[in-house]
């Protein structure tokens, strides 16, 4: 069933994702596209019922005030403009800050003006993606980067539904995974789900490439490029592999930068991909927000414990071991993270807090151990709650629990003499430190 779509054109707004989520909450599918969409690109989008021209503070690019192309204004589709960014008479000074008022304005445009139907749901999304995957892949084979996290797990389930045995899952241990994670991935996907899983221990290879590299962007790009090289090597051992499946989701794309928005950080599966990559990408979740990915996983029948596990970045502990990665700090990071997860689970926070982890910076501070002066590393605890990963609030962890975690980390993890708690929301901080 073809789903109706509202297109949001980004003319410098910082609220594109907010509006997109509001429209999807109305049961109507929406996509965000660049302001300079062409007539052919617009015509290729299925089921478009209307266009929102969404202007804002980033509308001036390279000294020029941007606007949509003439193809948009001549499309004959209903247009709605914001912040006086276009040529139509339905201008608002800005989107209403009140959620109910904002949704009322959108609802009037979407349903009354555009005559769109509320026919977007996960069942329809899955059916559409299965058809698109089969059309794209044909009788070829797909390699999937299976980290065991939420995004790649949902992609795996979706690809299995679409192409079955044409899928080969590759789990790469890059030496930057959490404690016990490689063993858990093999147990769940290979032994319990019966997936065609290839396990590659490339930890020494990755750590060698990352030695001495302190810049966060360089680390992400090295990890992203090395992932592709590993997959290419595994693909050469198979026949007919022409596609690479990835768990890219919409926040990955937004944060990697658009024509009107500055980059927050390059995600390894967006900004870190090598230009000479030999695969065509299969990214069925790239237009979904995190909560929608979880809903998709539930609709596909994945276990709740897998769907609602906290997310883990593709570069893994590499972006939590700040600066140049050392084996000493990496091991301390892995152990402190395991303690944090164990204590949060015991306190009943595992299903309550969206994401929690530890970070270790590349500097030491003075402390006292065994009645003597010592210079050791601090561990930073980060615990946040969010719906779509675009904004986040901190979890107000009980002091007694924090003191217990601090005592365990400082006594059980070698080389650590301080524990700190990060109180910064997103924005101004990001969820990860690098």
């Amino acid at each position: 069933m073809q789903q109706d779509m509202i297109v949001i054109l980004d003319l410098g707004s910082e609220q594109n994702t907010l509006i997109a989520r509001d429209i999807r909450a109305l049961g109507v599918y929406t996509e965000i596209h660049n302001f300079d969409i062409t007539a052919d690109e617009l015509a290729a989008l299925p089921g478009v019922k209307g266009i929102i021209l969404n202007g804002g503070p980033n509308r001036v690019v390279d000294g020029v005030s941007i606007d949509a192309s003439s193809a948009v204004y001549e499309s004959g589709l209903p247009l709605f403009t914001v912040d006086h960014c276009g040529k139509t008479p339905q201008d608002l000074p800005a989107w209403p800050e009140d959620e109910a008022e904002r949704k009322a304005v959108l609802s009037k445009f979407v349903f009354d003006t555009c005559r769109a139907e509320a026919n977007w749901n996960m069942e329809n999304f899955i059916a559409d993606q299965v058809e698109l995957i089969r059309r794209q892949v044909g009788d070829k084979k797909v390699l999937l980067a299976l980290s065991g996290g939420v995004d790649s797990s949902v992609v795996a389930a979706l690809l299995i539904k679409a192409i079955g045995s044409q899928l080969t899952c590759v789990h790469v241990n890059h030496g930057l995974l959490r404690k016990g994670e490689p063993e858990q991935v093999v147990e769940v996907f290979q032994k319990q789900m019966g997936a065609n899983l290839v396990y590659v221990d490339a930890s020494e290879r990755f750590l060698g490439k990352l030695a001495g590299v302190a810049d966060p962007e360089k680390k992400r790009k090295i990890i992203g490029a090395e992932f592709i090289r590993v997959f290419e090597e595994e693909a050469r051992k198979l026949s007919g592999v022409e596609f690479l499946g990835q768990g890219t989701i919409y926040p990955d794309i937004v944060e990697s930068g658009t024509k009107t928005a500055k980059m927050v950080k390059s995600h390894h599966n967006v900004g870190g991909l090598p230009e000479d990559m030999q695969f065509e990408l299969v990214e069925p979740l790239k237009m979904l927000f995190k909560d929608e990915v979880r809903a998709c996983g539930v609709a596909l029948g994945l276990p709740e414990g897998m769907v609602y596990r906290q997310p883990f970045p593709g570069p893994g502990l590499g972006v939590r071991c700040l600066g140049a990665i050392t084996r000493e700090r990496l091991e301390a990071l892995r152990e402190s993270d395991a303690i944090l997860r164990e204590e949060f689970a015991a306190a009943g926070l595992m299903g309550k807090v969206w994401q929690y982890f530890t970070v270790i910076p590349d500097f030491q501070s003075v402390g006292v151990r065994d009645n003597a002066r010592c210079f050791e590393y601090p561990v930073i605890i980060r615990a946040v709650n969010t719906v779509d990963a675009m904004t986040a609030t901190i979890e107000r962890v009980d002091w007694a629990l924090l003191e217990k975690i601090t005592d365990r980390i400082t006594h059980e993890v070698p080389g650590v003499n301080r524990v700190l708690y990060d109180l910064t929301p997103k924005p101004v901080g990001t969820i990860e430190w690098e």
Side-chain angles (χ1 to χ4, degrees):
M1 177 181 178
Q2 180 172 290
Q3 301 169 70
D4 290 345
M5 182 196 302
I6 301 297
V7 172
I8 299 172
L9 294 186
D10 177 14
L11 283 92
S13 175
E14 297 174 343
Q15 295 180 310
N16 293 312
T17 55
L18 176 67
I19 298 165
R21 292 186 54 77
D22 283 345
I23 295 175
R24 291 188 188 185
L26 296 171
V28 178
Y29 183 61
T30 184
E31 289 185 2
I32 303 167
H33 289 271
N34 286 317
F35 66 91
D36 56 356
I37 190 170
T38 66
D40 289 342
E41 290 169 337
L42 184 59
L45 297 175
V48 177
K49 294 295 185 180
I51 300 174
I52 294 176
L53 293 88
N54 197 27
N58 299 320
R59 192 185 169 197
V60 177
V61 177
D62 296 329
V64 179
S65 182
I66 60 174
D67 198 357
S69 66
S70 58
V72 171
Y73 293 107
E74 296 169 3
S75 67
L77 292 165
L79 303 179
F80 190 89
T81 64
V82 184
D83 288 337
H84 299 289
C85 65
K87 304 171 183 174
T88 60
Q90 294 175 286
D91 290 339
L92 288 175
W95 282 112
E97 293 186 7
D98 180 74
E99 182 178 359
E101 185 181 350
R102 188 174 66 244
K103 288 185 176 181
V105 171
L106 285 172
S107 180
K108 182 177 180 180
F109 175 69
V110 170
F111 296 120
D112 296 347
T113 305
C114 299
R115 302 294 182 186
E117 292 185 27
N119 56 7
W120 188 73
N121 54 55
M122 274 304 147
E123 287 71 24
N124 288 342
F125 173 82
I126 290 169
D128 286 347
Q129 289 303 318
V130 166
E131 181 181 347
L132 289 171
I133 291 166
R134 289 172 178 169
R135 190 184 306 163
Q136 180 185 9
V137 173
D139 61 354
K140 303 299 182 182
K141 293 181 181 178
V142 180
L143 277 183
L144 171 65
L146 178 58
S147 68
V150 177
D151 302 334
S152 64
S153 297
V154 174
V155 170
L158 193 52
L159 287 172
I160 289 170
K161 183 178 180 67
I163 58 173
S165 61
Q166 293 170 243
L167 172 67
T168 297
C169 298
V170 179
H171 176 59
V172 178
N173 180 2
H174 50 22
L176 304 169
L177 296 172
R178 291 172 287 200
K179 186 175 183 178
E181 201 152 37
E183 296 82 0
Q184 183 186 40
V185 169
V186 171
E187 171 65 28
V188 171
F189 287 95
Q190 188 177 68
K191 298 181 179 179
Q192 296 180 19
M193 298 182 64
N196 183 17
L197 176 66
V198 176
Y199 172 74
V200 182
D201 186 352
S203 54
E204 292 299 321
R205 174 174 172 172
F206 274 83
L207 293 178
K209 291 274 187 179
L210 291 165
V213 179
D215 182 79
E217 285 300 305
K218 289 182 179 178
K219 288 199 292 186
R220 287 178 177 273
K221 290 181 184 296
I222 288 171
I223 293 169
E226 202 62 22
F227 260 118
I228 299 301
R229 299 310 174 211
V230 172
F231 292 137
E232 287 175 339
E233 292 170 12
E234 293 305 318
R236 286 193 286 269
K237 300 175 185 177
L238 305 169
S239 60
V241 174
E242 297 184 7
F243 298 89
L244 173 65
Q246 288 199 140
T248 305
I249 64 174
Y250 196 67
D252 298 340
I253 296 172
V254 172
E255 290 192 337
S256 293
T258 66
K259 290 185 177 181
T260 65
K262 295 180 180 179
M263 179 183 68
V264 177
K265 58 189 175 186
S266 291
H267 287 260
H268 78 285
N269 53 347
V270 180
L273 297 174
E275 294 182 0
D276 60 344
M277 185 179 70
Q278 301 299 309
F279 299 113
E280 181 179 334
L281 292 177
V282 180
E283 300 175 302
L285 306 181
K286 67 181 180 180
M287 297 306 294
L288 295 188
F289 297 99
K290 195 72 178 189
D291 58 316
E292 295 171 333
V293 173
R294 295 187 194 278
C296 184
V298 171
L300 286 165
L302 287 175
E304 285 197 2
M306 182 181 297
V307 172
Y308 289 101
R309 66 176 298 185
Q310 58 171 300
F312 190 56
L317 300 181
V319 292
R320 297 174 181 174
C321 189
L322 307 185
I325 298 170
T326 66
R327 294 173 187 269
E328 175 192 21
R329 285 193 298 123
L330 186 59
E331 188 57 30
L333 180 60
R334 189 173 282 120
E335 291 298 323
S336 63
D337 179 80
I339 291 172
L340 177 68
R341 288 188 288 132
E342 181 180 324
E343 291 299 332
F344 265 43
L349 296 178
M350 186 168 65
K352 178 188 175 186
V353 183
W354 189 79
Q355 189 173 16
Y356 44 93
F357 54 88
T358 60
V359 174
I360 296 188
D362 57 349
F363 60 83
Q364 295 177 317
S365 66
V366 67
V368 178
R369 188 176 297 281
D370 299 326
N371 297 316
R373 182 183 177 96
C374 68
F375 284 92
E376 296 178 340
Y377 294 103
V379 164
I380 303 163
I381 296 175
R382 183 84 163 131
V384 298
N385 292 306
T386 182
V387 172
D388 56 15
M390 300 304 297
T391 61
T393 59
I394 63 162
E395 173 69 16
R396 296 177 181 271
V397 180
D398 182 75
W399 279 107
L401 176 58
L402 284 176
E403 289 171 349
K404 182 179 181 182
I405 293 170
T406 298
D407 183 70
R408 285 197 60 189
I409 289 176
T410 54
H411 285 84
E412 297 178 27
V413 181
V416 171
N417 64 2
R418 291 179 189 270
V419 175
L420 315 175
Y421 193 69
D422 184 353
L423 294 171
T424 314
K426 177 182 179 179
V428 292
T430 56
I431 293 177
E432 298 289 343
W433 269 59
E434 285 190 342

